[in-house]
Amino acid sequence: MQTHAAAPATHDISDADLSALAISVLEIFSIGIGPSSSHTVGPMRAALSFMESLPQAPRRVTCDLYGSLALTGRGHATDSAILLGLSGLRPEAINPDEVPAILSDIREHGCLRSRQFEQDIAFEEAVDLVFHRDTFLPVHANGMRFSAWIGGESEPVSSYWYSVGGGAIVCGTADSLMAPEAAGATADTAAGLHNQRQPYPFSSGAELLALGEETGFSIATLVLRNEGIWRTEPETLAGLDHIIDAMDACVQRGLRQEGVLPGGLRVRHRAKSIHTRLRSQAESLGPAQTFEWVSLFALAVNEENAAGGRVVTAPTNGAAGVIPATLLYYRKFVPGADRDGERTLLLTAAAIGFLYKKRASISAAEMGCQGEVGVACSMAAAGLVAALGGTNQQIENAAEIGMEHNLGLTCDPIGGLVQIPCIERNTMGVVKAINAAYLALQGDGRHIVSLDAVIETMRQTGLDMGSKYKETSLGGLAANVVEC
């Protein structure tokens, strides 16, 4: 029987450094491919960033995967992501339909077709991509080491990268992490971590509420003003519209698909058949069917994610269905819903996501699924309250309710695939989010458990949670259900 090192207890950089970093709404919501932001999108970005750091084309490259990336990497398509990133491809730009042919070519010929250097680079996957299933690096569960042999040098150029959740990556060493600028990372490669001063900085729920009281601004307005350090307001609004449209497109694609999802579990697409049935019952729409519809929206997104399609990390791929489903609930079932309300929903949800990313983590390898679906539920509840005209205090209350009832949620994907229980878990997340929103709107915002307290509780729970329950597929359902 194999033994496994304990998962590390620390997270992104340091608490003090991370709380000071600015995060953009267009980075916490970013377009990528499935099935996982931390295991697919992050490693793809890391591989690309490593190649971009090289002064010239290498003759050979290798990659070592550690911890959760090694344990569930094949089920999460980490191996494919590494090959694509080393080839110079970006998750937000790649056409998912072209991926099988690209991978087949690499594996058949034993070389990478580098877009960056416009030449072939030796890469024998069986030898050059190594899964260290028994080793966790000290600082993060999602660790990678890339090595490249350049010119006639006998020793490779090597660097360590970490996928810290939601597609964000940080460079470092085997036992430490570096801030993005120290690592030479750009806004593109760091994917959400920047040392820039915003006009209305906040790193806690209490600070966020205080800023609202001081300025009279809504949470959405505070976030929109903060985005000004990167781009103009019209550019930010256009970016939000692009994200909204991408979310909707993902749902629509998911509603059209049939057959069996890849990976071997033989999980079937269900969204199309459910959609057909609900459309036939449209004239008798009742409260229960409303929740069937929003569950369907989440199901469609996460089936698309499991199939390797294009999704929006919200804030991760494994939890990508909760916020789009909440957005479509607002659009289809709330009278007077409009694009401004949809933007408000995303801006407010992002503010809550910032807090989890700064004060805890959105990586299931560190926090379990409470850090993914739980965070998405909290974000979606807050965003919906804002879109419905709630106060900042009610928004904070909804976010707290959304997480409070996801505490302790484990990440135990059967077979390392983002399918069971991940797909259905998103449907549960959106129903909880809508419930939390309306519960918060029934009050005046005053409540006993603060959002900051529940985020800290989530963090402590994640640290106390055994590593087998944090995206390793060594415990929970993954250990107790026989794969068919």
Side-chain angles (χ1 to χ4, degrees), residues 7-13 137-141 177 361 366-367 459 463:
T10 55
H11 52 283
D12 319 6
I13 315 174
L137 297 180
V139 292
H140 198 282
L177 299 174
S361 172
E366 292 186 290
M367 295 288 114
R459 188 187 71 84
L463 297 183

Side-chain angles (χ1 to χ4, degrees), residues 201-227:
F202 58 89
S203 59
S204 70
E207 290 176 359
L208 186 56
L209 290 177
L211 280 172
E213 289 287 335
E214 179 184 335
T215 63
F217 292 158
S218 68
I219 290 173
T221 298
L222 290 169
V223 173
L224 186 58
R225 298 291 177 90
N226 281 343
E227 293 294 305

Side-chain angles (χ1 to χ4, degrees), residues 66-419:
Y66 301 93
S68 179
L69 292 181
L71 287 166
T72 63
R74 296 197 187 279
H76 286 60
T78 306
D79 47 354
S80 299
I82 294 295
L83 271 59
L84 296 171
L86 291 176
S87 299
L89 296 164
R90 300 176 183 275
E92 63 272 18
I94 193 171
N95 181 350
D97 294 334
E98 297 176 355
V99 168
I102 295 171
L103 296 175
S104 178
D105 181 69
I106 294 171
R107 288 162 175 160
E108 179 182 352
H109 296 97
C111 65
L112 305 163
R113 313 290 190 185
S114 174
R115 276 71 171 169
Q116 177 188 356
F117 296 111
E118 298 183 345
Q119 69 179 65
D120 293 348
I121 299 168
F123 189 87
E124 289 286 349
E125 185 176 2
V127 176
D128 295 332
L129 181 60
V130 182
F131 290 75
H132 298 274
R133 293 173 54 86
D134 293 323
T135 306
F136 282 82
L137 297 180
V139 292
H140 198 282
N142 292 333
M144 297 158 273
R145 181 180 65 194
F146 296 97
S147 301
W149 284 260
I150 298 174
E153 296 294 328
S154 59
E155 293 298 321
V157 174
S158 297
S159 64
Y160 287 85
W161 289 83
Y162 298 88
S163 180
V164 295
I169 56 173
V170 179
C171 190
T173 66
D175 55 10
S176 66
L177 299 174
M178 289 185 282
E181 288 76 8
T186 64
D188 180 45
T189 59
L193 306 170
H194 307 284
N195 283 324
Q196 297 190 54
R197 183 68 176 177
Q198 295 174 314
Y200 302 105
F202 58 89
S203 59
S204 70
E207 290 176 359
L208 186 56
L209 290 177
L211 280 172
E213 289 287 335
E214 179 184 335
T215 63
F217 292 158
S218 68
I219 290 173
T221 298
L222 290 169
V223 173
L224 186 58
R225 298 291 177 90
N226 281 343
E227 293 294 305
I229 67 172
W230 292 292
R231 67 192 80 81
T232 66
E233 184 172 313
E235 289 172 333
T236 295
L237 296 178
L240 288 170
D241 289 345
H242 182 55
I243 293 298
I244 291 167
D245 292 344
M247 287 180 170
D248 183 60
C250 184
V251 172
Q252 300 311 316
R253 283 196 309 273
L255 294 177
R256 296 192 297 267
Q257 305 306 312
E258 295 181 288
V260 176
L261 292 169
L265 290 181
R266 301 197 60 78
V267 174
R268 300 192 65 83
H269 286 271
R270 288 179 287 171
K272 183 176 181 178
S273 62
I274 295 173
H275 186 221
T276 299
R277 179 179 62 80
L278 289 177
R279 288 180 65 186
S280 71
Q281 300 172 349
E283 294 183 359
S284 58
L285 182 67
Q289 285 181 311
T290 300
F291 283 100
E292 285 190 86
W293 274 102
V294 297
S295 294
L296 169 64
F297 299 147
L299 191 78
V301 170
N302 286 87
E303 287 183 350
E304 187 69 12
N305 178 62
R310 177 170 284 114
V311 300
V312 177
T313 59
T316 68
N317 283 32
V322 176
I323 291 175
T326 305
L327 190 74
L328 285 178
Y329 165 79
Y330 168 74
R331 179 185 295 176
K332 294 181 178 295
F333 295 104
V334 174
D338 57 19
R339 183 50 65 103
D340 283 342
E342 293 174 354
R343 293 166 174 167
T344 293
L345 192 156
L346 286 191
L347 287 165
T348 307
I352 304 305
F354 299 159
L355 297 180
Y356 283 99
K357 195 167 181 66
K358 290 182 176 187
R359 301 182 70 85
S361 172
I362 60 171
S363 168
E366 292 186 290
M367 295 288 114
C369 200
Q370 60 174 358
E372 294 207 20
V373 168
V375 171
C377 177
S378 181
M379 292 169 63
L384 181 58
V385 169
L388 294 173
T391 66
N392 288 352
Q393 289 73 22
Q394 289 172 321
I395 290 166
E396 187 260 0
N397 187 13
E400 179 272 322
I401 295 171
M403 174 52 72
E404 186 176 345
H405 303 288
N406 279 290
L407 289 173
L409 193 59
T410 61
C411 182
D412 49 356
I414 295 175
L417 297 167
V418 193
Q419 296 179 16

Side-chain angles (χ1 to χ4, degrees), residues 426-442:
N426 276 257
T427 72
M428 300 296 105
V430 66
V431 171
K432 281 186 179 181
I434 296 170
N435 191 19
Y438 283 104
L439 189 59
L441 285 168
Q442 295 302 315

